[in-house]
Amino acid sequence: MNLLHISALVAAVAFLILVIYISYTLISVRKTFHHVANTVEGIEKQMQGITHETTELLKKTNHLAEDISEKTDKVNILFDGVKGIGYTVQDFNQSLQKLSDELKLQANEHAEKTTQTIKWGEAAIHLWKKYKEN
């Protein structure tokens, strides 16, 4: 065997070893891609579930927002009614205050007459008691 045959044999063995290592690498890459594909498939299924749950949550949130809006409108109507009652009570209080002021004014204007009438009444009662005692 000459040197050329030996070098061709060494090159063939080296090429065989290279092919074996590349085969192992490709097999590992294939397994990795297979695992990645399975993982992506699992993520897709989870995302479908999450999407469905998110859609349902969004529907419930929208329904809840509508419900809160309706109830807020009802409460606003109630507050408007209470505000109206407050205005009515305030007007009633003002009317009572005016009436009270008028009564005070009239009482002050007629105080002297009232005092005189009370004195005459007391004198009449006193005379009546004296008359009964005699």
Side-chain angles (χ1 to χ4, degrees), residues 16-119:
L16 179 66
I17 293 173
L18 179 66
V19 168
I20 291 172
Y21 279 118
I22 289 176
S23 297
Y24 283 135
T25 304
L26 289 176
I27 290 171
S28 295
V29 168
R30 190 177 115 216
K31 286 180 183 178
T32 302
F33 280 140
H34 182 69
H35 289 302
V36 168
N38 288 340
T39 303
V40 169
E41 185 179 321
I43 289 174
E44 284 178 8
K45 288 179 183 177
Q46 290 176 355
M47 288 302 291
Q48 287 174 354
I50 290 171
T51 303
H52 177 72
E53 289 177 14
T54 304
T55 304
E56 291 299 315
L57 181 62
L58 185 60
K59 287 179 185 177
K60 289 178 182 178
T61 303
N62 288 338
H63 178 70
L64 184 61
E66 289 174 11
D67 190 40
I68 288 172
S69 177
E70 290 173 9
K71 289 181 179 172
T72 301
D73 291 341
K74 291 177 183 177
V75 170
N76 286 341
I77 292 170
L78 176 67
F79 282 138
D80 289 342
V82 169
K83 189 189 323 182
I85 291 171
Y87 289 145
T88 303
V89 169
Q90 184 179 10
D91 290 342
F92 182 69
N93 284 341
Q94 288 174 352
S95 298
L96 285 178
Q97 187 64 39
K98 286 180 184 177
L99 179 63
S100 175
D101 291 343
E102 278 184 39
L103 288 175
K104 284 180 190 176
L105 182 63
Q106 288 181 5
N108 288 337
E109 288 177 1
H110 302 292
E112 189 175 319
K113 289 180 185 178
T114 305
T115 305
Q116 193 69 26
T117 304
I118 290 172
K119 286 182 182 178

